[in-house]
Amino acid sequence: MPELPEVETVVRSLRPGLTGRTILGVRVGRKKLRVPWIGVWTRAVVNQRIASVNRRGKWIIIELDTGALLGHLGMTGQLTVEAGDNKRCPHTHLIFDLGDEHRMRFRDERRFGSFQHFPTLKELNVYLDARLGPEPFGLDPSYWRAALSGSKRPIKALLLDQSVIAGVGNIYADESLYAARVHPAALTHRLTATQSTALRKSVEKVLTHAIERRGSSIRNYLDGTGERGGYQNEFKAYGRTGEPCRRCRVAIERVRLAGRSSHYCPQCQRTD
DNA sequence: CTGTAATCCTGCGAGC
DNA sequence: TGCTCGCAGGATTACA
């Protein structure tokens, strides 16, 4: 679920409470996550101090004095720091004891999320480099133009491809396409220079705005302190099937593209 | 090189 | 009320 704005909000809200703390122990849940290395690495992080907390694409990077943790929230993951009494919480897979009655908890209902350990930050970055393209902010215009002209896929599929641009997911792809007035099924190599530029700027604008609203909470998403986001109240396309377009009042339509629902205005977003 | 579908999971709302 | 179906913010893999 969480896309770049949600992960950025989690990282920002966790950073002050995590940085400088030492992991005293790790408790592991019974159920398996998709990356089955939990339990193998838990001992490696005990007594490690947390040096920094960062984000790349939709990934959370927790750098330790030695080694680093890489987390992904999948569709329903929550990473929170809590203090005081220890409530029972279903779907908890990891609890990091941070001392002084503080704990970091990783919950994930659907278990699409993951938590991995790397012996060095360098190895972690090699792993991410193999999967991720550049961040959407300050994207090189010529890189973007080349990426679009060199592909014949629908633009929606390209926006979701993390190796082209890191961090965009289904919600923000739809919102960006709406803002740029580009049809989700439009083939990338057929987009005009104007459309290409508009989309590059729209992605940046939509993501920035969503971060300011602390992300979108549709169902599960919470930030590092357990609070919901507010951007779901500002969706113009996503999840608005049948509702009137805020620009032209024509009903928003939904199509299935690249295996995902795409919401768009048939009047404002044309393929031609 | 594309594109699509299936896979990993749980939970919820719609419709019968 | 209770059942089944389809759908959900993601990433990876297999296959046409």
Side-chain angles (χ1 to χ4, degrees):
Chain A
M1 134 220 145
E3 307 179 28
L4 187 151
E6 289 74 30
V7 177
E8 179 63 26
T9 304
V10 167
V11 163
R12 287 184 187 181
S13 60
L14 286 179
R15 189 176 285 135
L18 281 185
T19 311
R21 283 201 179 264
T22 299
I23 299 170
L24 300 180
V26 187
R27 290 225 313 275
V28 180
R30 267 183 226 85
K31 297 220 174 168
K32 271 188 189 163
L33 289 173
R34 296 177 63 237
V35 180
W37 308 334
I38 287 178
V40 176
W41 56 255
T42 51
R43 279 179 56 213
V45 303
V46 173
N47 292 326
Q48 284 293 321
R49 198 186 67 101
I50 295 170
S52 68
V53 183
N54 288 295
R55 174 197 64 74
R56 196 166 149 202
K58 304 174 192 172
W59 297 85
I60 297 166
I61 302 166
I62 300 175
E63 188 190 359
L64 309 170
D65 277 346
T66 303
L69 288 166
L70 180 65
H72 197 294
L73 301 179
M75 295 273 247
T76 52
Q78 300 171 346
L79 189 63
T80 53
V81 169
E82 52 207 41
D85 61 301
N86 199 350
K87 287 177 293 187
R88 275 220 62 212
C89 237
H91 307 297
T92 295
H93 305 296
L94 285 169
I95 297 179
F96 297 81
D97 179 6
L98 303 172
D100 195 24
E101 292 292 300
H102 284 251
R103 284 170 304 279
M104 179 165 72
R105 182 193 295 269
F106 176 60
R107 298 183 63 219
D108 186 0
E109 198 170 272
R110 287 173 73 182
R111 284 187 276 142
F112 285 7
S114 63
F115 244 89
Q116 309 171 47
H117 175 261
F118 291 84
T120 65
L121 189 61
K122 192 175 175 179
E123 286 167 87
L124 182 151
N125 280 320
V126 168
Y127 179 89
L128 289 185
D129 284 342
R131 290 165 172 74
L132 300 182
E135 290 284 317
F137 303 107
L139 198 61
D140 177 13
S142 60
Y143 167 85
W144 182 241
R145 210 168 341 113
L148 295 190
S149 59
S151 167
K152 295 181 177 175
R153 311 150 81 183
I155 184 60
K156 173 68 182 276
L158 185 129
L159 281 171
L160 293 176
D161 187 339
Q162 302 299 297
S163 69
V164 174
I165 180 169
V168 179
N170 208 35
I171 291 178
Y172 300 110
D174 282 4
E175 292 298 311
S176 302
L177 288 164
Y178 176 90
R181 300 178 187 249
V182 175
H183 193 289
L187 301 181
T188 59
H189 69 294
R190 308 222 19 214
L191 292 184
T192 64
T194 312
Q195 286 178 311
S196 156
T197 305
L199 185 56
R200 179 171 53 79
K201 291 181 177 173
S202 290
V203 168
E204 196 160 352
K205 199 169 171 180
V206 164
L207 293 176
T208 302
H209 194 188
I211 291 170
E212 286 168 5
R213 292 283 170 276
R214 305 177 60 80
S216 307
S217 290
I218 296 172
R219 173 172 287 166
N220 292 280
Y221 165 70
L222 299 175
D223 75 6
T225 62
E227 286 201 41
R228 288 165 57 84
Y231 194 71
Q232 67 278 7
N233 300 318
E234 301 185 33
F235 291 164
K236 296 183 174 68
Y238 183 82
R240 296 193 68 246
T241 312
E243 292 175 45
C245 168
R246 298 196 196 283
R247 285 190 295 238
C248 73
R249 317 312 294 169
V250 167
I252 297 292
E253 287 184 9
R254 186 172 74 119
V255 287
R256 209 155 179 84
L257 216 55
R260 320 289 299 275
S261 283
S262 292
H263 313 74
Y264 68 101
C265 171
Q267 175 73 26
C268 298
Q269 297 166 260
R270 309 296 198 97
T271 38
D272 44 88

